[in-house]
Amino acid sequence: MPPEIEKIKLYLRIKWWVIAAAALLIGAETFFGVVSPVASLSSFIALAIAASSALFLQLRIEKPTVPIHISLNFDLFLIILALYFNGGIENSWLFFPVFIIFFSGYLFSVRASLAYAVVSYLSILLMFFLEYFKIIPHFGIYNLPELYWRNTEYCIDYLVGMFMLYFFAAFSSGYLNQIMAQAAERLGRSLKETQTAQKESENARKALLNLTEDLTRARDTLEARVKERTAELEEAKSNLEQKVAERTAELEKSRRAVIHMMKDLKDDMEKLKVIDRMKTEFLSMVSHELRTPLTPIKGYLYLLTSEKMGSLTDQQKKALEIISRQSEHLQTLIDSILDLSRIERGQPLPLKKEPMSIKAAIEEVAEAMKIQAQAKQLNLILEIQENLPTIMGDSIKIKRALTNLLGNAFKFTPEGGEVKVRAFAEDSSLRVEVIDNGIGLAPENLTKIFEKFYQVDSSITRAAGGMGMGLPIAKEIVELHGGKIWAESEGLGKGSKFIFTLPITGG
């Protein structure tokens, strides 16, 4: 049953008790002649009307058609009316509206009880005022003299007392309503939690029953499988020794094969080491042998190009320039092979460190490679910061690293492309960047390109030529100077950037 219906029922029960008590009291006063017949008659009429409204409300309590507020206001009106016809100002029952005020707060809220308190007090105040100034007639009840109830102090004391009584009842009922609402809310939560716990307990009980059934089925299944497995084990036991013997023989055969294979592998590794050492020695020997005839060739080329052995035609000069470039290229290859052979033997490249200008080194290399850039119609751009600090380094080796990086950029930049060299100071080091708009690099090749003889597998790199030695040598030179080198690229077809740094302090 909703809480509101319960409150209305409680109100009706107390209302019946009040009606009954008032009827007995008024009857006793009438019997002993304490009150006048008019007062008794008006009181009984008011009680009859109140009883009728209570009966009507009780019959329609499940589906009330009359709001409870109307019933309370009607009861308050009856009480005020009965008080007026039963002595008015001199009536000692002026506390009766307290019941309406208290139940309005109990049924609704403290605001409702305060509203009823205000209405009740204003009604009593109005009755006092009208009777005091004889605007309405006064119906005496106790045959008191007029001067008694027309006494100003009496009226003021009575009104102050009723004010305090009414509003105390209003606040008390509101506070009681709040306490009961909180208690009802806590009770509702407790009931809800109890219902939830009961539901969970029932679910747990059902789950336990289901688990018991599952365990029973699992036990039966397990027993059946154990019986089957036991039979299989009995069958396997009969030929287990034979299988173990066969397997042991196979393992022994495999062990011998592995030992033989490891011996062959060790022999192959020794042979590879010998071959690798022979290769390194061969490269070193070939490089020295190639360098021997190259020296007089370059000497005679110098004599011819300087026309010390006679004048030359333009066609002869052009041919000699081509021979000179190819001899320089061959010299670079020989030096690279010699450097690689030293690296493979674990020997560091010999460095002769001295104060040097990185700007001068870049400009010399760019000037030397200008013809190679013009041959492919490449735009070579230098962006060098002014007043770069002097570093301690081997200028020949640094220029070789720059030559290798620029040569790499020229090879993989298409005709009409652009190669840019940037140099600037950064913190305590110099930073050099070689940037091209060539074929670019895949992310997985950014570190592999610095390995010896590594070449990216593509038709473009094969067509460009080279032995894959330039970048490893450049890496070795930079690291021997205490610097770092790495490559960057956004992907194939998006160009590349090769960067190296050198410490300003000389490493």
Side-chain angles (χ1 to χ4, degrees):
M1 184 178 294
E4 292 76 10
I5 302 298
E6 288 291 341
K7 290 181 179 180
I8 295 173
K9 283 188 174 182
L10 178 61
Y11 166 68
L12 289 174
R13 284 197 294 271
I14 295 177
K15 183 177 178 179
W16 282 116
W17 280 104
V18 171
I19 291 172
L24 289 174
L25 185 59
I26 293 170
E29 289 180 341
T30 303
F31 180 77
F32 290 105
V34 176
V35 296
S36 64
V38 175
S40 298
L41 181 61
S42 64
S43 297
F44 279 113
I45 292 173
L47 290 175
I49 296 173
S52 300
S53 66
L55 182 61
F56 177 78
L57 184 60
Q58 190 163 3
L59 292 175
R60 304 290 296 176
I61 196 168
E62 297 298 333
K63 295 181 179 179
T65 56
V66 179
I68 188 65
H69 273 300
I70 296 178
S71 178
L72 286 173
N73 287 321
F74 184 70
D75 290 343
L76 180 61
F77 173 74
L78 288 176
I79 291 172
I80 299 297
L81 197 62
L83 290 173
Y84 169 66
F85 285 105
N86 283 271
I89 297 176
E90 60 180 288
N91 196 322
S92 59
W93 287 34
L94 288 174
F95 66 87
F96 235 66
V98 167
F99 293 104
I100 302 299
I101 296 170
F102 185 84
F103 271 100
S104 65
Y106 172 72
L107 292 172
F108 305 111
S109 65
V110 67
R111 291 184 179 180
S113 64
L114 287 172
Y116 278 94
V118 170
V119 171
S120 300
Y121 185 74
L122 290 177
S123 300
I124 297 297
L125 183 64
L126 180 63
M127 183 178 68
F128 267 56
F129 179 82
L130 295 176
E131 285 192 18
Y132 186 85
F133 291 101
K134 297 182 178 182
I135 299 174
I136 59 176
H138 173 72
F139 297 93
I141 184 172
Y142 299 118
N143 298 318
L144 296 173
E146 183 178 344
L147 292 175
Y148 174 76
W149 57 266
R150 286 180 60 79
N151 184 278
T152 305
E153 293 181 358
Y154 166 80
C155 293
I156 293 174
D157 292 342
Y158 220 128
L159 289 173
V160 171
M162 290 303 103
F163 178 85
M164 295 175 64
L165 179 62
Y166 291 173
F167 282 92
F168 176 76
F171 283 110
S172 299
S173 64
Y175 180 67
L176 178 62
N177 183 25
Q178 183 178 4
I179 292 175
M180 294 184 67
Q182 292 175 354
E185 184 179 358
R186 288 195 297 269
L187 181 60
R189 286 200 300 266
S190 299
L191 289 174
K192 188 175 180 181
E193 291 173 358
T194 303
Q195 292 174 355
T196 304
Q198 289 177 349
K199 187 176 181 181
E200 291 178 353
S201 177
E202 181 64 20
N203 292 337
R205 187 183 66 82
K206 291 180 180 179
L208 184 60
L209 290 175
N210 294 334
L211 180 61
T212 304
E213 294 176 0
D214 293 341
L215 288 174
T216 303
R217 287 195 297 269
R219 184 195 62 189
D220 296 338
T221 304
L222 183 60
E223 289 179 353
R225 293 177 68 180
V226 166
K227 289 180 180 179
E228 294 176 1
R229 189 61 179 164
T230 303
E232 293 175 359
L233 289 174
E234 289 293 336
E235 182 180 355
K237 184 180 178 181
S238 59
N239 54 8
L240 180 60
E241 292 182 358
Q242 181 181 355
K243 289 182 178 180
V244 169
E246 292 175 357
R247 187 59 179 165
T248 302
E250 292 176 0
L251 289 173
E252 180 63 24
K253 187 184 296 183
S254 299
R255 186 182 68 84
R256 292 177 181 176
V258 169
I259 292 174
H260 182 71
M261 183 176 64
M262 289 179 66
K263 185 176 180 299
D264 292 343
L265 183 60
K266 185 177 179 181
D267 294 340
D268 290 341
M269 289 178 65
E270 292 295 332
K271 290 177 181 178
L272 285 174
K273 288 180 180 178
V274 172
I275 292 172
D276 189 60
R277 187 170 59 253
M278 291 175 62
K279 179 201 72 174
T280 303
E281 293 175 355
F282 174 75
L283 287 175
S284 178
M285 181 186 66
V286 167
S287 300
H288 284 291
E289 292 298 326
L290 289 173
R291 178 180 284 184
T292 301
L294 186 61
T295 302
I297 290 174
K298 291 176 69 176
Y300 279 107
L301 277 172
Y302 173 74
L303 293 175
L304 289 171
T305 54
S306 60
E307 297 186 0
K308 292 183 178 180
M309 297 180 69
S311 59
L312 300 172
T313 65
D314 292 339
Q315 187 175 5
Q316 289 172 337
K317 289 180 180 179
K318 186 175 182 181
L320 288 174
E321 286 178 359
I322 294 173
I323 294 171
S324 178
R325 286 199 302 271
Q326 293 302 319
S327 64
E328 291 295 334
H329 180 62
L330 182 59
Q331 179 69 49
T332 302
L333 288 178
I334 293 170
D335 292 340
S336 298
I337 292 172
L338 285 173
D339 290 341
L340 278 178
S341 64
R342 290 192 187 98
I343 295 170
E344 287 191 346
R345 289 197 302 270
Q347 298 176 355
L349 297 179
L351 295 181
K352 185 180 179 182
K353 289 187 178 183
E354 56 187 3
M356 62 165 290
S357 168
I358 193 69
K359 178 181 179 182
I362 293 172
E363 290 175 347
E364 288 180 22
V365 172
E367 182 65 26
M369 301 187 71
K370 185 186 295 184
I371 297 175
Q372 187 177 344
Q374 292 173 352
K376 291 189 69 175
Q377 299 178 356
L378 299 177
N379 185 18
L380 180 58
I381 302 172
L382 303 183
E383 294 182 0
I384 304 173
Q385 179 183 327
E386 295 294 334
N387 301 319
L388 285 177
T390 302
I391 63 170
M392 292 296 294
D394 189 325
S395 60
I396 295 176
K397 293 294 191 296
I398 295 296
K399 285 190 279 189
R400 179 177 297 176
L402 286 168
T403 301
N404 291 349
L405 293 175
L406 272 177
N408 188 73
F410 290 169
K411 281 193 293 185
F412 298 112
T413 301
E415 290 188 4
E418 179 181 282
V419 177
K420 182 185 296 184
V421 181
R422 300 177 66 233
F424 54 91
E426 185 180 60
D427 297 331
S428 60
S429 62
L430 292 180
R431 180 181 174 111
V432 180
E433 298 177 353
V434 179
I435 308 167
D436 64 70
N437 58 356
I439 63 172
L441 289 167
E444 62 270 16
N445 291 326
L446 290 176
T447 56
K448 293 181 180 179
I449 55 175
F450 291 102
E451 297 174 2
K452 290 178 294 185
F453 301 110
Y454 180 82
Q455 289 183 306
V456 179
D457 185 15
S458 70
S459 58
I460 298 177
T461 54
R462 286 194 297 270
M467 298 174 61
M469 296 185 296
L471 294 179
I473 292 173
K475 180 176 182 292
E476 181 73 14
I477 292 171
V478 170
E479 291 179 350
L480 284 174
H481 282 80
K484 296 180 180 179
I485 187 170
W486 67 93
E488 295 177 359
S489 178
E490 295 182 1
L492 295 175
K494 297 183 179 181
S496 304
K497 180 191 289 187
F498 287 84
I499 306 150
F500 70 86
T501 60
L502 296 172
I504 294 176
T505 57

